[in-house]
Amino acid sequence: MSPSAVLMVFWISIAVQAFAVYLALRVMVSSRIRWAWGAIAVALALILPRRVITTFAVMRLADPTPFLGSELLSLTLSLLFCLGLVRLRTYFERSESDAEFRRLSEEHFRVHEAMRKRELHLQALFDAFPHLVWLKDDEGRFLAVNQAFADAC
C-alpha cells in the first residue's frame, strides 16, 4: 500500500474519532447519566492530539505501512463506537418520548376519572330530589333524568 494511502487511513481515523467525540457530547445532552458520557467525550478528545502528533511523525517515515494494522483497528473501533452512539441517541430520544406519552396518558386518565366522579355526583344530586327532574338539549332529547322521573315513565 502506498504511503499516501496509509496516511489517508490515519486522517480518516482521526476524523471518525472526532465525530465520536461530537456524538458522545450529543448523547450526553439526551442522557440521564450525563457525567458518564461527558467523561467518555473528554477521554476521546484527549486522545485526539496524541493521534494527530503520531500521524505527523508517521508522515516523516519513508514507509508508514507497519503502522497500518493498528490504525485500521483504531478506525474500526471508532466506527463501531460511532454506530453505537447513534443507536444510543435514538434510544434516549425514544425513551424520552415514551415517558412523555406515559405522562400524558396518566394525566388523561386523571381528568377522565375526575369527570366520571363529577358525573356520579350530579346523578346522585338528581336522584335525591323526590320530584321529577330532567335535562334536555336544544333539540328536545333527554340528557339526564332522576330516578323519580325514570320510575314514573
Side-chain angles (χ1 to χ4, degrees), residues 2-18:
S2 72
S4 61
V6 173
L7 290 175
M8 183 63 69
V9 170
F10 270 73
W11 288 113
I12 290 172
S13 179
I14 290 171
V16 169
Q17 188 171 352

Side-chain angles (χ1 to χ4, degrees), residues 3-4 21 25 27 30 34 37 40 57 69 76-77 92 97:
S4 61
V21 170
L25 290 172
V27 169
S30 305
R34 292 191 169 119
W37 290 107
I40 290 171
T76 304
L77 292 176
F92 285 126
S97 66

Side-chain angles (χ1 to χ4, degrees), residues 6-72:
V6 173
L7 290 175
M8 183 63 69
V9 170
F10 270 73
W11 288 113
I12 290 172
S13 179
I14 290 171
V16 169
Q17 188 171 352
F19 186 65
V21 170
Y22 166 76
L23 286 177
L25 290 172
R26 293 291 301 242
V27 169
M28 181 184 76
V29 172
S30 305
S31 172
R32 295 175 204 269
I33 48 174
R34 292 191 169 119
W35 63 269
W37 290 107
I40 290 171
V42 167
L44 288 170
L46 290 176
I47 294 170
L48 276 174
R50 183 198 58 83
R51 296 210 37 226
V52 170
I53 291 169
T54 304
T55 302
F56 280 120
V58 169
M59 285 173 62
R60 291 191 204 116
L61 296 175
D63 185 24
T65 310
F67 297 98
L68 182 62
S70 65
E71 200 56 39
L72 285 173

Side-chain angles (χ1 to χ4, degrees), residues 8 17 54 68-69 76 82 93 95 119 121 125 139 142 145 152:
M8 183 63 69
Q17 188 171 352
T54 304
L68 182 62
T76 304
C82 286
E93 288 172 351
S95 67
E119 185 177 323
H121 179 73
L125 282 174
E139 297 176 9
F142 287 100
V145 297

Side-chain angles (χ1 to χ4, degrees), residues 93-140:
E93 288 172 351
R94 185 177 60 232
S95 67
E96 286 178 2
S97 66
D98 289 349
E100 178 69 12
F101 176 75
R102 278 193 303 278
R103 187 188 66 74
L104 290 174
S105 295
E106 290 167 359
E107 183 178 331
H108 174 76
F109 178 76
R110 282 192 301 273
V111 168
H112 186 268
E113 279 298 305
M115 288 175 61
R116 189 183 67 78
K117 286 179 182 177
R118 184 175 175 121
E119 185 177 323
L120 290 174
H121 179 73
L122 287 174
Q123 188 63 45
L125 282 174
F126 270 29
D127 291 340
F129 289 116
H131 304 290
L132 302 179
V133 178
W134 65 91
L135 182 62
K136 287 185 177 184
D137 65 5
D138 293 340
E139 297 176 9

